[in-house]
Amino acid sequence: MQDMHKITRLELGEGLSLRLTFDDGSTRAFDLEPLLKKGGVYSPLARTDYFKSARVAPDGRYVEWPDGLDLCADALWMDGVPTHESA
């Protein structure tokens, strides 16, 4: 069984990108632009102030926004692009 990942650090990148550090030491970039294009619950991401309100959930298992939108750490780890800073 695969271990569940936890986010230990969140940095906001350019545009709608996140740079995340995980408890395994890896660092991955994730672009939210494709989600924004889907619309629906992701539409608020188009607002800069909303996007910038992202935070890591207390348990490290999600990136979350104030109204309940969240993205799972495992999905962000799997779909994120490893960066040069990865361990």
Side-chain angles (χ1 to χ4, degrees), residues 54-65:
R55 68 180 189 101
V56 176
D59 65 0
R61 295 286 302 135
Y62 301 91
V63 171
E64 61 184 6
W65 285 266

Side-chain angles (χ1 to χ4, degrees), residues 2 16 33-34 46-47 53 60-61 64-65 68 73 76-77 83 85:
Q2 181 179 353
L16 291 175
E33 187 71 34
R47 294 192 340 258
S53 68
R61 295 286 302 135
E64 61 184 6
W65 285 266
L76 292 166
W77 188 91
T83 67
E85 291 81 16

